[in-house]
Amino acid sequence: MTSTGIRLHAPAPGWSIPADVVVVGSGVAGLTAALRCEAAGLTTVVVTKASLDDGSTRWAQGGIAAALGEGDTPEQHLEDTLVAGAGLCDEDAVRILVTEGPDAVRRLISTGAHFDTDDEGDIELTREGGHHRRRIVHAGGDATGAEVSRALVEAARARGVRMIENALVLDLLTDTDGRTAGVTLHVMGEGQHDGVGAVHAPAVVLATGGMGQVFSATTNPSVSTGDGVALALRAGAEVSDLEFVQFHPTVLFLGPDAEGQQPLVSEAVRGEGAHLVDGDGVRFMVGQHELAELAPRDIVAKGIMRRMQEQDAEHMFLDARHFGADMWEHRFPTILAACRANGIDPVTEPIPIAPAAHYASGGVRTDARGRTTVPGLYACGEVACTGVHGANRLASNSLLEGLVYAERIAADITAAHAADGLHARVPEPVPHPEKPAYPLLASEARFAIQRIMTEGAAVLRSAESLDKAADQLQRLHTEARDALAENGKTAEPGVDTWEATNLLCVARVLVAAARLREETRGCHWREDRAERDDTGWRRHIVVRLNPDRSLAVRTTDTADFPPTRQHQRPQEQNK
């Protein structure tokens, strides 16, 4: 598949640097890929939107799931993952994850990550929702992501990996054959590389994280605006399963009007014995699932929302008063501090919680080596859809997926360089277009998009709510398109307008997929289609962007995952 030729409205690059590989993102997936590529002798450049440790990895509290404990096996981890994925996981992809995962964690430890240990020096393991065994390694009690980020950032700096911080990636560059030729980016700062520039490279790894900022309330940091998925779509890549956005069940409730990033209350708190209760103190998850509060996240989120509806309540509670002060202070210091900073003391009172957007189980469609449908473009981590998560990610599989698939991507890139000699050439990109092809939205459109998505496509969805959301999003898109076509006007290029435009792009795709999937499965909950339909909907929804910026939407059988570049598409439906 070749590029659509669609790019964001932006100035032509004023500078460029060559590389063998450019990695976009500095979380666990991006830095792991960069370290492995650099170790193989490839010139690697890491582009990150803010500071090196400012992505979603740093905020991960729970840990990394891997079959490291006595009596645990990859097969048991696989079974738990498949159950959580509600029939849409690619079993081969999951088997790669669980079999290669333990050694990937050990390599992370050898890189310098320090995980919590017991008095004998053995790694402590905890349990989270959907897991039948204790298999979650953690650090600093509830600061696993911060420790993983620290170790990888230090290792990357020690190896001399070139970093470009405060840089928003704009679009993929391609050569005349449609192969990846690098990326354009905007650097916010002072120095030699400021403003819009380019990194020219024959391999690009997208590790840009999620798109939680498409909703009003999310656990994601402010930088999670779907930039990688939007870039991939404009480049002609396919995305899959974007309707499956996981809402974390237990996010600190800060009020009905709270917006932006909200404090997460890790699933590990429930793993250690905390209970979900309503305003009367009743444990409402008991009897709804064999694991009660430790059921997979989609089931717990639905249970909370149902109870909130039944009682006309704005939130439920997480009760861990029985932990005592010592356990809170040593096992969950980050959560304790966040609660107290917001006027809640979990040592003496239940924590008010409600679900909030947390993790995109879908993303840019890849094969088992992280290759997308655009030659030379790879994706890993939350931005990717490897088939591991299916319709609902199993707790703490995300950091593991970042580790395992980043290593596979680095191996594939290294092999391609050795076989084709790609390191000996710097690809020549197609010239920058003189006129903008993708209209920009005004920065304030971001809040309109978040409101539309929260009202129409959040935890509770229906044909009516999704139709309304689709109409409102299309109106924003049409107004921007028509203004550009009629008088050449578009919003001024800048980080805020580029982010708003990316959010609209991914929102349109998410809603299109959610409208098409007329069933309830995993973290996609249709009130008007309350049952799971394995006869008609054990299928993936795949979307790509047409050159005229309309959406081409199709379904594909689970046997047709992952993709191949020779894939023959059935009849497509233009949206």
Side-chain angles (χ1 to χ4, degrees):
M1 180 176 293
T2 59
S3 171
T4 62
I6 301 174
R7 294 183 185 173
L8 289 172
H9 177 29
W15 52 269
S16 66
I17 57 176
D20 293 324
V21 186
V22 56
V23 177
V24 186
S26 60
V28 61
L31 289 182
T32 299
L35 284 166
R36 299 294 180 266
C37 287
E38 189 76 22
L42 304 180
T43 302
T44 305
V45 174
V46 173
V47 174
T48 187
K49 192 173 181 181
S51 60
L52 285 178
D53 62 351
D54 207 24
S56 292
T57 293
R58 179 165 68 92
W59 298 98
Q61 294 175 345
I64 306 176
L68 294 166
E70 183 177 354
D72 198 5
T73 65
E75 199 67 28
Q76 293 175 65
H77 189 183
L78 179 142
E79 181 61 27
D80 285 345
T81 301
L82 294 180
V83 170
L88 282 189
C89 293
D90 176 61
E91 187 168 338
D92 291 338
V94 178
R95 195 170 297 280
I96 288 169
L97 180 82
V98 299
T99 55
E100 297 182 11
D103 282 343
V105 172
R106 295 184 185 103
R107 283 189 289 274
L108 178 61
I109 293 171
S110 68
T111 300
H114 302 292
F115 294 106
D116 295 337
T117 56
D118 59 22
D119 294 338
E120 284 73 42
D122 296 325
I123 291 178
E124 286 186 339
L125 300 173
T126 190
R127 186 178 166 199
E128 293 184 357
H131 294 273
H132 282 76
R133 285 189 174 273
R134 286 182 170 263
R135 63 168 66 99
I136 316 299
V137 300
H138 50 84
D142 59 356
T144 306
E147 171 59 17
V148 170
S149 180
R150 180 206 62 77
L152 291 173
V153 168
E154 288 187 6
R157 284 176 171 154
R159 288 202 63 92
V161 176
R162 185 166 187 176
M163 313 285 188
I164 303 178
E165 296 183 86
N166 301 309
L168 171 62
V169 68
L170 299 176
D171 280 303
L172 188 74
L173 295 171
T174 54
D175 61 20
T176 53
D177 295 325
R179 277 198 60 89
T180 294
V183 294
T184 56
L185 62 156
H186 177 264
V187 182
M188 299 159 280
E190 298 178 357
Q192 180 182 0
H193 299 132
D194 193 12
V196 175
V199 180
H200 293 164
V204 173
V205 182
L206 292 179
T208 52
M211 55 183 188
Q213 291 291 327
V214 79
F215 295 97
S216 297
T218 177
T219 63
N220 290 190
S222 61
V223 294
S224 298
T225 51
D227 308 317
V229 171
L231 175 150
L233 283 162
R234 289 192 297 271
E238 294 181 338
V239 302
S240 183
D241 299 348
L242 224 62
E243 68 272 31
F244 296 117
V245 176
Q246 186 178 84
F247 282 71
H248 198 288
T250 53
V251 176
L252 185 62
F253 181 75
L254 300 180
D257 299 323
E259 295 182 339
Q261 186 177 9
Q262 311 289 299
L264 176 66
V265 181
S266 171
E267 198 155 297
V269 178
R270 281 175 281 139
E272 295 292 350
H275 301 144
L276 284 167
V277 298
D278 60 19
D280 297 321
V282 176
R283 287 182 62 190
F284 56 88
M285 285 304 300
V286 175
Q288 291 197 40
H289 190 276
E290 60 164 332
L291 297 176
E293 286 93 349
L294 285 176
R297 287 178 179 174
D298 63 311
I299 294 172
V300 178
K302 291 170 189 174
I304 292 171
M305 293 301 298
R306 287 194 188 100
R307 197 66 158 197
M308 287 167 59
Q309 287 179 321
E310 291 168 2
Q311 299 187 346
D312 193 25
E314 293 181 323
H315 60 82
M316 291 286 108
F317 294 92
L318 186 65
D319 191 352
R321 290 174 291 178
H322 56 285
F323 283 6
D326 186 66
M327 182 172 177
W328 268 111
E329 290 167 2
H330 290 89
R331 180 65 179 88
F332 301 110
T334 306
I335 299 170
L336 177 63
C339 288
R340 285 178 170 170
N342 287 282
I344 303 296
D345 187 353
V347 177
T348 60
E349 58 187 319
I351 305 169
I353 54 89
H358 183 57
Y359 191 89
S361 293
V364 184
R365 200 166 182 240
T366 75
D367 65 10
R369 287 178 283 182
R371 298 180 299 183
T372 74
T373 48
V374 175
L377 179 64
Y378 297 79
C380 61
E382 190 173 353
V383 71
C385 184
T386 62
V388 160
H389 304 307
N392 181 50
R393 175 180 67 99
L394 181 65
S396 286
N397 269 356
S398 52
L399 293 180
L400 187 70
E401 183 194 32
L403 286 173
V404 169
Y405 281 87
E407 291 187 340
R408 295 178 71 84
I409 286 173
D412 194 70
I413 292 173
T414 301
H417 277 70
D420 302 335
L422 294 180
H423 64 284
R425 70 174 182 89
V426 175
E428 185 64 32
V430 173
H432 190 81
E434 294 183 3
K435 295 183 179 180
Y438 206 100
L440 300 181
L441 272 68
S443 59
E444 55 267 25
R446 175 178 185 144
F447 305 105
I449 294 165
Q450 291 172 334
R451 175 186 53 77
I452 292 166
M453 295 298 288
T454 299
E455 292 177 356
V459 178
L460 304 179
R461 302 169 177 175
S462 67
E464 182 180 1
S465 75
L466 291 168
D467 287 348
K468 181 179 179 180
D471 289 343
Q472 292 173 322
L473 293 172
Q474 184 61 38
R475 190 175 304 118
L476 290 174
H477 174 74
T478 301
E479 289 173 355
R481 181 198 63 195
D482 291 349
L484 179 64
E486 292 171 6
N487 51 36
K489 289 186 177 180
T490 187
E492 283 297 314
V495 174
D496 290 344
T497 56
W498 287 321
E499 285 184 335
T501 303
N502 285 337
L503 284 171
L504 178 61
C505 180
V506 297
R508 290 176 62 216
V509 175
L510 192 162
V511 169
R515 292 175 78 193
L516 187 58
R517 184 173 291 280
E518 294 183 336
E519 64 159 355
T520 289
R521 181 186 297 270
C523 50
H524 171 67
W525 187 6
R526 286 282 298 259
E527 292 182 286
D528 55 334
R529 296 286 190 274
E531 301 301 320
R532 172 169 152 177
D533 178 8
D534 278 339
T535 301
W537 279 109
R538 197 163 179 264
R539 301 177 64 79
H540 300 280
I541 296 175
V542 179
V543 183
R544 63 180 179 85
L545 194 63
N546 288 322
D548 65 356
R549 298 183 294 275
S550 63
L551 303 179
V553 184
R554 66 183 177 89
T555 64
T556 182
D557 190 84
T558 51
D560 187 40
F561 199 99
T564 64
R565 294 192 179 89
Q566 293 77 36
H567 180 71
Q568 299 298 312
R569 292 181 188 78
Q571 186 70 31
E572 290 182 334
Q573 176 185 3
N574 291 333
K575 294 287 184 180

